[in-house]
Amino acid sequence: MSTRPGGPAGGGPGAGAVGRFPGMLGLMADLTPTVLAERVAALRLVDHHVHPALQTDIGAAEFEDLITESDRAAPAGLTQFDSQLGLAIRRWCAPVLGLEPFAEPADYLARRSSLGGVEVARRLLRVSGISHFLIDTGLVRPGLLDLAGMQDLAGARASEVVRLESVAEQAAWSGDGSAAGFAGRFAAALSGQAAGAAGLKSIVAYRYGLDFDPEPPTAAEVAGAAGRWLRQADQTGQIRLEDPVLLRHLLWAGLEHGLPLQLHTGFGDPDVDLRRCDPLLLRGFLRRAEPRQVPIMLLHCYPYHRGAGYLAQAYPHVYLDVGLAINYTGARAAAVLAESLELAPFGKVLFSSDAWGPPELHYLGALLWRRATARVLGDWVAEGEWSQADALRVAEMIGGGNARRVYRLD
Ligand SMILES: [Zn+2]
């Protein structure tokens, strides 16, 4: 955990504060920035958007594939360890596996395989201090823990977030497989899965872009689009849902359930056209959905997190996180986090790791968030802009309180 709560301006923030604001010495004596960092380090976090961790042993090449959002192999002679995330793994995960900080990648990977996938996951999940995972189960690969496995290894709660496109793809060929019956089959399947879920999720950003027509499609439009989709699926054997009419239908049908609706925005793998993932493109949809009073959770947002902060301020039902970006910006995470706290009301910002696969990502998502939060809020306290008590209160809100309220977890 962070032992250096000081800001990038250099010098101890406590000393700076006393120097600039001598009258504050007494006020700050019992709650120094170090105390803030320690309290943030001890917070029991709710990870409101995350995926399962891998419990299987993975080789060096596979590990490198999983610590980048690229789906391409690194160019010859380069390693994914030479990145903010790679450095963070060597700095912070190595000691959890019993190595010195900054262990060489080869030593790190050798230690990983000698411990085995289950033990690596157990250690990293436990030390993350995440008490509740809201898990998007829509992205599958062999070796991922299921919800019960995540609970057991992490010693935490796990709830499911249901991915709308996955439900639709499963419902496509179920029953009589007719185009006219698709909407009904999807509705029935979604009702079943939503019943036990904490939230819903859409990847319309991946499958089309956020510049979709914000109006709900008519029943006739849905049936027509389902017919085209199912015919194409029959011909190709591929059931990937990319039709914008159907993707819109999923969103509007999802809102009927009243569960928080997570939307991928911003940064992701090269399957997204990042230019079309700016959450500001959602303005029309957000305005039309507003009377439903369903929380819309803008995920990741980077590099559009400042626009997302504007949306969170403008619209009562809009929330955001900068998960994923925290891990991938590593030592720069404090800058991203600070920008996410410019316009957004603090009750609208949530912690998430968006980890998927290597449990290093679950641990670092939490650790780097804690370090960035302690650093950013600690600086504002040191500069006399915030009180320590407010800094701690806001850290608790973002770390878990907001998620507990919005998802009704308690
Ligand atoms: Zn995700």
Side-chain angles (χ1 to χ4, degrees), residues 49 51 201 300 354:
H49 177 79
H51 304 265
K201 153 108 187 268
H300 324 319
D354 193 34

Side-chain angles (χ1 to χ4, degrees), residues 158-247:
S159 303
E160 186 172 16
V161 172
V162 172
R163 192 181 279 204
L164 295 170
E165 291 79 7
S166 303
V167 177
E169 287 163 357
Q170 288 155 17
W173 281 325
S174 66
D176 66 359
S178 70
F182 167 73
R185 296 198 300 280
F186 171 69
L190 183 58
S191 289
Q193 293 197 40
L200 304 177
K201 153 108 187 268
S202 165
I203 53 166
V204 63
Y206 271 93
R207 298 297 179 82
Y208 180 77
L210 298 180
D211 49 348
F212 57 85
D213 178 350
E215 296 290 341
T218 66
E221 286 171 332
V222 172
R228 292 190 295 277
W229 177 44
L230 294 173
R231 273 195 301 280
Q232 191 184 37
D234 272 336
Q235 287 162 8
T236 62
Q238 297 286 325
I239 198 66
R240 182 180 159 98
L241 177 53
E242 294 180 321
D243 182 281
V245 172
L246 296 178
L247 291 166

Side-chain angles (χ1 to χ4, degrees), residues 49-51 136 139 163 201 203 206 262 264 299-300 324 352-356:
H49 177 79
V50 60
H51 304 265
D136 172 1
L139 192 54
R163 192 181 279 204
K201 153 108 187 268
I203 53 166
Y206 271 93
Q262 301 182 348
H264 176 103
L299 304 177
H300 324 319
L324 192 63
S352 87
S353 68
D354 193 34
W356 178 73

